[in-house]
Amino acid sequence: MGTLKVWTANLMIGGTVLCCLSPAYAGGWDTLGVGSNELLFDDSRFAFEATTKAVDRNVDYEVTNAEVAGRPVVGGPVKSRATPNIWNYQFAAKFRLTDQLDCMARTNDPYQIEEDLNQEWQGRFSLTRTSASGKAFNGTCAYKFQVRDGHYVRAIAGANLLYLRYRTDNLSYGAFIPPSTYVDFPTRLDVRSDDPGVGWRVGASYEIPQYAVRASLIYDSAIDVDLAGGTEVTGVTNFDSFASVTMPQSLEFNLQTGIAPDWLATFGVKWVDWSKLQDLTVQNPAGTTVVNRFLGYDDGWTVRAGLAHKVNDWLKVGSTVQWDRGIGQSYSDTYSFGVGTAIQLDKHAELTIGTAAIYKASGTGDLTNLASTSGATTQYKYGDSWNYTLQTKLKFSF
């Protein structure tokens, strides 16, 4: 019985240490990755956690073809650093309402794109900057049933509210803007959602606490979001702009089990339906398409395995390995290796620190706006690179 009790304690190790080690990106625009719902299963009656993650990114775009008005773009560097360092956050609270019912409320930035290129690079007529982000508010509840002695099933359901903002900058070719000054004009598209898109979540878990075993499967629906804002060609014109986007559905499976006293193994896989996002279009009030960018994404798959160990009552350590299949364009395959530690500060507070090294494979992309009046086209490539994350999480439980 003593061994079983120790393994039961392990049920809290995986979410505490291992979830802090996943890279900041796990398929396309996703910042959550695998294991983001662990707090829902926390054994405390009440828990609150605040998480921040910084990402050091080191990817350069190199133009392989850039044209405007049917001619090669001249002047400016062929190569530019494309990926500024970024950070993201999550705040979540979990409540045990009854012995059978647990609920979790969460806010975070589940999607993020940041590209910031040299203003003079040869792809400047297609893109100099992209900044896109999401703000989500969601609630999830799980009701626990005992199906046999020591075996439990949870039914999981919830709802998501999602706001999006999308901004992109480039230069407009002056020769195509009357009176043909041949001066290039900074151009910015900035649209955002005033009303949230709404989605839903459903899932289930099977648990054997005495062996620290838990298997969970959670589905998140697609979310339709309408965006509105404006396009400005500096010193020339500005007009209202509108876009609609469907953020993809996803399915995530997680498994954990005690393998020895004070040792826990975890495995997770996540599928995201990015292939439904094939293009990005923006229209003006007359219904004319002003942005038509081909994306051509593939489905995203993320697979992660981890191992955690409780050293003593105040220290836990863990490690993870992860593979993410790139969805195309600037999102190539990544291989990640993470380590982390959780320190029990006192009876109610715990600090977790994790870091990961991410190897990103080389790839190619296309920034061409098919609706460009100047016929600007840009294709690029990027080499393999090493990128790094540092995450901290402060958790209070009662």
Side-chain angles (χ1 to χ4, degrees), residues 189-207:
L189 164 71
D190 193 347
V191 291
R192 66 185 70 194
S193 55
D194 293 325
D195 299 313
V198 180
W200 51 274
R201 166 180 294 170
V202 66
S205 71
Y206 189 89
E207 302 170 22

Side-chain angles (χ1 to χ4, degrees), residues 280-348:
L280 174 67
T281 59
V282 180
Q283 296 182 325
N284 64 19
T288 302
T289 299
V290 295
V291 174
N292 183 7
R293 181 162 288 139
F294 174 72
L295 300 176
Y297 290 151
D298 298 320
D299 282 358
W301 287 93
T302 303
V303 181
R304 190 185 72 178
L307 187 66
H309 175 54
K310 182 179 179 181
V311 179
N312 51 45
D313 289 340
W314 61 271
L315 180 65
K316 304 164 191 170
V317 295
S319 62
T320 59
V321 293
Q322 177 172 296
W323 167 75
D324 178 80
R325 191 188 82 165
I327 63 173
Q329 299 284 4
S330 61
Y331 302 102
S332 58
D333 287 9
T334 61
Y335 305 84
S336 309
F337 311 90
V339 294
T341 183
I343 303 169
Q344 194 74 36
L345 302 178
D346 60 29
K347 183 179 179 180
H348 301 292

Side-chain angles (χ1 to χ4, degrees), residues 21-34:
L21 307 180
S22 61
Y25 286 92
W29 309 347
D30 181 15
T31 69
L32 297 179
V34 176

Side-chain angles (χ1 to χ4, degrees), residues 130-199:
T130 303
S131 180
S133 60
K135 181 179 292 184
F137 303 89
N138 54 70
T140 305
C141 289
Y143 192 86
K144 183 167 65 175
F145 306 84
Q146 181 169 317
V147 292
R148 52 180 290 196
D149 187 31
H151 293 237
Y152 301 88
V153 169
R154 294 185 199 243
I156 300 169
N160 301 313
L161 299 179
L162 176 64
Y163 293 87
L164 292 176
R165 180 181 180 181
Y166 179 80
R167 167 187 161 180
T168 182
D169 293 61
N170 64 282
L171 293 181
S172 291
Y173 190 49
F176 279 71
I177 300 176
S180 298
T181 60
Y182 292 92
V183 174
D184 301 326
F185 296 93
T187 302
R188 174 174 298 171
L189 164 71
D190 193 347
V191 291
R192 66 185 70 194
S193 55
D194 293 325
D195 299 313
V198 180

Side-chain angles (χ1 to χ4, degrees), residues 23-34 53 55 57 61 83 86-89 108-115 127 130-136 162-168 189 191 223-225 227 243-250 270-282 291 293-302 322 324-332 334 360 366-367 380:
Y25 286 92
W29 309 347
D30 181 15
T31 69
L32 297 179
V34 176
K53 189 180 299 183
V55 191
R57 305 190 301 164
Y61 291 175
T83 52
I86 58 173
W87 74 281
N88 51 65
Y89 68 89
N108 54 24
D109 49 352
Y111 302 109
Q112 193 170 23
I113 312 172
E114 292 292 340
E115 297 169 300
L127 183 73
T130 303
S131 180
S133 60
K135 181 179 292 184
L162 176 64
Y163 293 87
L164 292 176
R165 180 181 180 181
Y166 179 80
R167 167 187 161 180
T168 182
L189 164 71
V191 291
I223 301 179
D224 296 323
V225 183
L227 303 96
S244 295
V245 64
T246 298
M247 301 309 296
Q249 61 184 338
S250 66
K270 183 176 182 179
W271 166 79
V272 184
D273 192 17
W274 287 109
S275 63
K276 296 297 184 182
L277 201 56
Q278 290 296 300
D279 52 46
L280 174 67
T281 59
V282 180
V291 174
R293 181 162 288 139
F294 174 72
L295 300 176
Y297 290 151
D298 298 320
D299 282 358
W301 287 93
T302 303
Q322 177 172 296
D324 178 80
R325 191 188 82 165
I327 63 173
Q329 299 284 4
S330 61
Y331 302 102
S332 58
T334 61
K360 178 178 171 61
D366 192 336
L367 297 173
Y380 66 95

Side-chain angles (χ1 to χ4, degrees), residues 199-226:
W200 51 274
R201 166 180 294 170
V202 66
S205 71
Y206 189 89
E207 302 170 22
I208 311 174
Q210 68 181 34
Y211 298 115
V213 171
R214 183 176 72 235
S216 64
L217 184 68
I218 297 178
Y219 169 82
D220 281 290
S221 72
I223 301 179
D224 296 323
V225 183
D226 296 322

